[in-house]
Amino acid sequence: MKRALICGISGQDGAYLAKLLLDKDYEVWGTSRDAQMSSFRNLTKLGIRDRTKLESAALNDFRSVLQVLKKSQPDEIYNLAGQSSVGLSFEQPVETLESIAVGSLNLLEAIRFMEQPIKFYNASSSECFGDVGQNSASETTPFKPRSPYAVAKSAAFWEVANYREAYGIFACSGILFNHESPLRPERFVTQKIVTAACRIAAGQQDKLNLGNISVQRDWGWAPEFIEAMYAMLQQEQPDDYVIATGESSSLQDFVAAAFGAVGLDWQKYVISDPTLLRPTDIAFGKGNPKKALEKLGWQAQYKMRDVVRMMVAAKQKELSSDGHHS
Ligand SMILES: Nc1nc2c(ncn2[C@@H]2O[C@H](COP(=O)(O)OP(=O)(O)O[C@H]3O[C@H](CO)[C@@H](O)[C@H](O)[C@@H]3O)[C@@H](O)[C@H]2O)c(=O)[nH]1
């Protein structure tokens, strides 16, 4: 039986990845900063909490990292831990840099101390590209990070590449574009919009405040993006891959689709709120997933409108079952 360690198992991607690996008969270990305090709601929602082995680990603390590796003895490590909000990274730049860049470095160093070879997946981000005009970004597009989060993710990307070349570690970075699901917290704009649209339709909310809705993003479906992470570690050679749908839509189109799905005209409810603007933002995001298709056989099946439809359906179900309970 293969053993996998998922750092950051309590987040959206960690939970879906745990499910995928359990379905493939892996023994799944997961870390969270404080496993005693974390509710692991996402694992509970997917019905897999009892099937995972959960440990505390602070990735910025080398001792903690080495300890969890020694205990879990993994064949594969997936590093999905760290501060994940671009917006919050402007408020907490040091915590963001430490949890992402120092966290990945400690994992890579700890892998060198282990006797058995360990394959390593690192969650990189399309944020590293910064603004690319109207072009789609591929693995050869230079990084021009525009937020503390993107700076940290860029550092971690180069750590992975360096440890792969310098020490022959099987280490890969997945440069993922936005990927959404019902497990997304409302801190991220898609869930904020979907929740607001459903609540307004149910008479539980009046308005929705948003920042810049002219931004364009390449939005995909998280459960299928996770499959690409797994596929990267099953290749003969370690490498880095862009994972995206290859299509870009404006946030305004996302808003219109979400409100349209519940029979509302978004223009009556959305308020433009300058306090929600970021000091620097990315105007346009689109990935070129050609290499992933050619090498991994991976291709996104779901596009922005599918994502909206599935997130709205999940939220409506949740709100109506909340109503039945009260
Ligand atoms: N969160 C948020 N974003 C808003 C809002 N109004 C407008 N936006 C805009 O909506 C866009 C998307 O914001 P987020 O959903 O917070 O995601 P992100 O910054 O694109 O980052 C996500 O995707 C990256 C790429 O996969 C990930 O690396 C990152 O962790 C995160 O998941 C940004 O341009 C943001 O300025 C708002 O009220 N809230």
Side-chain angles (χ1 to χ4, degrees):
M1 191 187 246
K2 275 201 183 172
R3 273 188 301 271
L5 174 66
I6 303 173
C7 300
I9 198 169
S10 57
Q12 164 189 273
D13 292 3
Y16 283 122
L17 181 62
K19 172 99 175 54
L20 178 105
L21 294 172
L22 285 167
D23 288 345
K24 295 190 184 293
D25 281 334
Y26 276 61
E27 183 177 299
V28 175
W29 291 68
T31 74
S32 174
R33 233 163 299 194
D34 187 343
Q36 306 282 313
M37 288 294 285
S38 175
S39 67
F40 296 109
R41 274 179 59 223
N42 290 335
L43 296 179
T44 305
K45 279 189 188 168
L46 298 185
I48 54 170
R49 193 192 156 145
D50 297 342
R51 295 168 62 202
T52 53
K53 296 174 189 294
L54 302 170
E55 299 286 333
S56 296
L59 296 195
N60 58 352
D61 186 329
F62 184 73
R63 179 171 214 288
S64 164
V65 173
L66 193 56
Q67 200 157 280
V68 78
L69 259 62
K70 290 210 178 240
K71 189 164 181 190
S72 57
Q73 294 286 328
D75 300 291
E76 297 172 6
I77 298 176
Y78 295 85
N79 180 24
L80 315 177
Q83 201 293 96
S84 67
S85 160
V86 178
L88 188 62
S89 80
F90 290 98
E91 317 292 326
Q92 301 183 357
V94 175
E95 148 68 12
T96 302
L97 190 77
E98 259 201 23
S99 62
I100 294 172
V102 178
S104 314
L105 199 51
N106 276 335
L107 279 164
L108 286 160
E109 272 297 331
I111 287 172
R112 296 182 59 207
F113 276 88
M114 298 294 286
E115 284 181 4
Q116 80 275 22
I118 300 176
K119 292 185 175 181
F120 183 64
Y121 171 85
N122 197 52
S124 190
S125 166
S126 57
E127 281 290 306
C128 296
F129 296 123
D131 258 321
V132 290
Q134 293 286 308
N135 304 317
S136 61
S138 75
E139 294 78 3
T140 55
T141 304
F143 286 178
K144 272 195 188 171
R146 272 171 73 76
S147 64
Y149 171 86
V151 169
K153 284 288 182 187
S154 301
F157 175 91
W158 290 113
E159 289 162 10
V160 168
N162 180 238
Y163 275 65
R164 183 168 63 216
E165 288 165 25
Y167 309 112
I169 295 176
F170 193 112
C172 306
S173 287
I175 311 171
L176 271 57
F177 279 72
N178 300 50
H179 45 290
E180 315 297 318
S181 79
L183 298 188
R184 261 301 202 197
E186 281 180 56
R187 166 183 298 290
F188 299 94
V189 79
T190 55
Q191 186 68 283
K192 182 177 175 183
I193 294 164
V194 165
T195 302
C198 293
R199 288 176 56 90
I200 291 171
Q204 299 168 352
Q205 187 174 329
D206 298 326
K207 297 285 178 198
L208 166 63
N209 285 33
L210 288 175
N212 185 356
I213 60 167
S214 70
V215 295
Q216 285 174 259
R217 287 287 186 281
D218 183 328
W219 278 292
W221 181 236
E224 69 176 353
F225 275 45
I226 264 56
E227 293 170 15
M229 300 178 182
Y230 170 76
M232 283 177 218
L233 296 199
Q234 314 313 314
Q235 302 304 303
E236 296 265 308
Q237 298 296 330
D239 207 345
D240 306 318
Y241 297 87
V242 162
I243 302 299
T245 71
E247 289 180 17
S248 190
S249 332
S250 72
L251 187 54
Q252 183 174 318
D253 285 346
F254 190 104
V255 171
F259 278 76
V262 295
L264 297 176
D265 173 4
W266 68 274
Q267 303 196 58
K268 292 188 183 145
Y269 306 98
V270 172
I271 296 174
S272 169
D273 182 345
T275 66
L276 295 172
L277 298 176
R278 293 177 184 174
T280 43
D281 207 343
I282 292 180
F284 180 85
K286 183 161 94 167
N288 175 354
K290 195 161 159 258
K291 180 173 168 185
L293 177 60
E294 282 172 8
K295 299 261 172 73
L296 306 176
W298 183 92
Q299 193 172 25
Q301 303 301 315
Y302 298 107
K303 305 291 166 70
M304 183 275 273
R305 282 173 200 287
D306 306 305
V307 171
V308 170
R309 180 173 40 79
M310 293 188 282
M311 285 181 75
V312 167
K315 184 53 72 177
Q316 281 178 322
K317 200 170 157 207
E318 188 187 307
L319 290 180
S320 74
S321 73
D322 285 352
H324 291 316
H325 292 150
S326 58

